[in-house]
Amino acid sequence: MTNLKGKNFLKLLDYSTDEIRYLLDLSKDFKNKKKNNIDHKYLNGKNIVLLFEKTSTRTRCAFEVAGYDLGMGVTYLDPGSSQMGKKESIEDTAKVLGRMYDGIEYRGFDQEIVENLGRNAGVPVWNGLTNEFHPTQMLADLLTIEENLGHLKGLKLVFCGDGRNNVANSLMVACAKMGINFTLASPKELWPSKELYDICKDIAVENNSVIEFEEDIMIATKNADVLYTDVWVSMGEPDEVWATRINLLKKYQITSDIVANANSNVIFLHCLPSFHDLNTTIGKDIYNKFGLKEMEVTDEVFLSDKSKVFDEAENRMHTIKAVMYATLSDKNE
Ligand code: CP
Ligand code: NVA
């Protein structure tokens, strides 16, 4: 019996393999209900607040739509519009919001902020991305992999890019928990912390999978079932890092040669947003400064039939709905 009522969702390290499995199955059920227009306002009368200190398209919209579909009231606080941090401590903010709302989503900076909210709110707190982790993204990724490849255990997922960012850290945890073999293709300078690696390595052993770091992208991506990448510079990092980051990561772009090197049924995933063309202001700016037309993935791969990035984006909503329902409802068992 799985009962997650009242539990925070701050990082996947806090969840067991069975609990993650439960959330994925619940997500499938909610996706099916949504597709078939079956009403699921199971949390009628509850209210949630979405606290964003960084910008967002998918996470904000996923929480809002999922909240409305479940019958809840939703308040969005945009970057800079609450007192939190500037005039009011994290603890006080958590206590105030916990008196008014049934659940709190936070996107922002240090993981410690969301952990602090979680310790003090008295209601479930959900991590919508911190510098260290992006756990709701992981549920959408796992669901998309399972939908496309039929299972998770024993697959090989290769992340190409900044191996210390929130998405790479979280993928290493998610893969270890679900028995997926995780390979990082990245220069040594961008490998994850030894502390997180040691934790994940032990979890992976329990689930019969391995975690490997490899500097040679061709060796890393051989026989991959899932190719995954993310932006080379994450939100909150200063503009000055672009030059060194491009130098470090330009060899790790996902191209059609990399796709050809992987398994024939490989899928391509990206948490999005992505710099795969020149249709963004940052993309144009980088092109003017460094001459790159595409960054972490080529437009060809991004638009190919291997690419499941928009299914993945849609799955953010179904999986976030499952997390809110599981942690707020009396009925989840
Ligand atoms: N993948 C993701 O978190 O997207 P947003 O930044 O648009 O929320
Ligand atoms: N690593 C990226 C993920 C965005 C969803 C960032 O933090 O900007």
Side-chain angles (χ1 to χ4, degrees), residues 108-153:
F109 297 93
D110 294 343
Q111 179 71 15
E112 176 47 26
I113 300 174
V114 82
E115 301 276 349
N116 195 350
L117 284 171
R119 285 193 297 274
N120 287 288
V123 297
V125 173
W126 309 298
N127 179 358
L129 178 147
T130 58
N131 292 343
E132 292 86 352
F133 292 113
H134 195 5
T136 61
Q137 180 71 50
M138 294 306 109
L139 295 179
D141 299 344
L142 293 170
L143 180 60
T144 312
I145 295 168
E146 198 163 77
E147 285 174 342
N148 280 280
L149 300 175
H151 68 290
L152 299 177
K153 229 175 166 28

Side-chain angles (χ1 to χ4, degrees), residues 54 58-59 107 129-131 134 137 165-167 230-231 233-236 271-273 316:
K54 289 176 179 168
R58 275 146 294 273
T59 309
R107 162 171 289 198
L129 178 147
T130 58
N131 292 343
H134 195 5
Q137 180 71 50
N165 82 11
N166 39 22
V167 169
D230 184 14
V231 290
V233 175
S234 287
M235 290 183 280
C271 54
L272 304 183
R316 298 296 309 287

Side-chain angles (χ1 to χ4, degrees), residues 213 239-240 258:
F213 303 157
D239 285 347
E240 294 76 74
I258 300 297

Side-chain angles (χ1 to χ4, degrees), residues 30 33-34 37-46 65-72 321 325 331:
F30 276 124
K33 286 195 165 69
K34 177 88 174 174
N37 283 317
I38 299 169
D39 183 272
H40 46 283
K41 292 195 168 49
Y42 302 146
L43 299 178
N44 233 327
K46 294 197 187 288
V65 174
Y68 296 138
D69 282 355
L70 289 167
M72 296 195 284
K321 193 180 283 178
Y325 176 78
K331 294 209 183 95

